Each structure stands twice: as structure tokens, then as C-alpha cells.
Amino acid sequence: HGLAWHAPSSTYYVTWDTDKGGTGGKAYLASNDANGKRVDGALLLSNGNRMVNPYVVAGSDYIGVLRADFTKNQLFVPTMDLKLKALNTPQVFPVSTQFSPYPGIAVSNDRIGVAFIVANGTGGTASLNTAIVGRNGKTIATTPIPAGGNRPTNPTMIGFPTGFLLAWTDDSTRQLFAQRLDRNGKPVGTRQVVAQFGAFT
């Protein structure tokens, strides 16, 4: 599930799914006022059978939503206005459930950053990638990120006015990495090793 607060309107947005460990599930989105009262009814994000791990982030006058489709191994990232109306068709990116079913998402002003893992070849190794989606719901850039290992997993992101901060673990070395990104999702400066061992999720 995901949660985001939109300060100007005193509204919070919640996402959740009904997946039961592989027995199907749908993803939902709803908005609530500061007292917890439902503003807009629960919106079914998709009729797919395995729509899981939905997240939401709040921008200045829009929200960004992410959901994973485990039947197609794809991520869907729509942008919406504050009344849950889609601003464009969802942008689609790959996801590797083998390495990391949980992608990262964050907002930086009028841009949404998404971090995701893609399996390489037979699935023994994987790569870390970012995508930047504009407020209008269109993809601005996608960038492979040097991961410091061949089995990156569990990426997470936060945003700030001039870019993003990305963190992830390596499944083989159990190291924890961090990398600053610009507003186009490209690395800035040097990749940092936050923990040398013992990092899982």
C-alpha cells in the first residue's frame, strides 16, 4: 500500500491491493480529507488479475501512481489530477518479480521518478534503471544506473526540488548503495556505499 499527503488541499491519498500471495488481486486508489473522510470513492486502477504493490506520490497539483502487473511483468505509472482523473495513458516499464517486485517512486516538483529492476538474459543477473515521467504523464527519460553489483534489488527513492536520491541493495553482496540523481534520473556525483554487508530490504 502507499500513502501521500497533499498539503495545499489537506488531502491524503491511499493505494492498496487485494492480492493474497499469488491468488489474484486488484489495485485501488482513494482520497481522504484531513479528518479521514473519503473524498472520492475507491477507484479501481485496473481489472488485471495480479495488480499489486501500488504506490502514490503527491506533486503540486497532481498525483503520480504506480502499480505492478505480475501477469505481464510490467509497471504502470499514470499521473492524475487531484480528483483522480487520469492526465494521460499510463506509462509502462518492465519489472522483474524474481529480483525485486517492489519498485521505487518519488516526486520532484513537476516530475515523477521511478526506479525498477530488469532481469538480464536467463535471470542470473539484473540491472537497475530509472524513468522520469512528467506531470503530463509522458516519459521524459529512462536511464540505466551503475549498480555496484550484478543483482540489484529493492530500490527506493525520495525527491527534492532539484532531483532524487536513490537507494538499493545488492542481492549477492548484501551491500547498501545510495546515488544522487538529477531531475532527468541521471547519476550526479559518486555512488555511495552506505553499508558494506548485512543489507537485505
Side-chain angles (χ1 to χ4, degrees):
H1 49 269
L3 180 69
W5 171 253
H6 185 259
S9 64
S10 295
T11 303
Y12 67 89
Y13 296 86
V14 182
T15 56
W16 70 95
D17 68 50
T18 59
D19 186 67
K20 300 179 179 66
T23 60
K26 301 184 187 306
Y28 293 87
L29 167 68
S31 59
N32 302 268
D33 66 20
N35 295 316
K37 182 179 179 182
R38 182 67 51 85
V39 177
D40 293 297
L43 174 66
L44 177 63
L45 292 172
S46 173
N47 285 318
N49 185 44
R50 291 293 312 280
M51 293 292 171
V52 298
N53 303 334
Y55 297 89
V56 59
V57 290
S60 58
D61 61 348
Y62 73 99
I63 60 172
V65 181
L66 181 150
R67 67 181 185 274
D69 183 339
F70 276 12
T71 60
K72 297 180 179 179
N73 289 336
Q74 292 178 324
L75 300 176
F76 293 86
V77 183
T79 57
M80 300 180 174
D81 66 19
L82 300 180
K83 295 296 183 181
L84 311 187
K85 181 181 178 181
L87 299 175
N88 207 325
T89 56
Q91 300 299 285
V92 182
F93 308 101
V95 63
S96 171
T97 58
Q98 174 187 352
F99 286 95
S100 184
Y102 303 105
I105 185 171
V107 66
S108 174
N109 293 326
D110 61 344
R111 297 186 176 191
I112 297 168
V114 180
F116 55 95
I117 306 296
V118 179
N120 297 328
T122 60
T125 62
S127 59
L128 174 63
N129 301 266
T130 63
I132 303 299
V133 178
R135 178 199 175 281
N136 61 3
K138 295 183 178 180
T139 300
I140 295 172
T142 57
T143 305
I145 305 297
N150 60 13
R151 293 177 64 88
T153 187
N154 299 320
T156 187
M157 300 178 78
I158 60 171
F160 52 94
T162 59
F164 303 91
L165 184 64
L166 172 65
W168 69 96
T169 56
D170 183 85
D171 194 44
S172 57
T173 65
R174 298 302 178 192
Q175 289 178 300
L176 174 64
F177 297 98
Q179 175 70 62
R180 183 180 171 187
L181 309 172
D182 66 16
R183 296 184 69 241
N184 292 316
K186 296 181 179 179
V188 175
T190 304
R191 178 181 62 239
Q192 304 294 310
V193 179
V194 180
Q196 290 284 0
F197 58 90
F200 284 79
T201 57

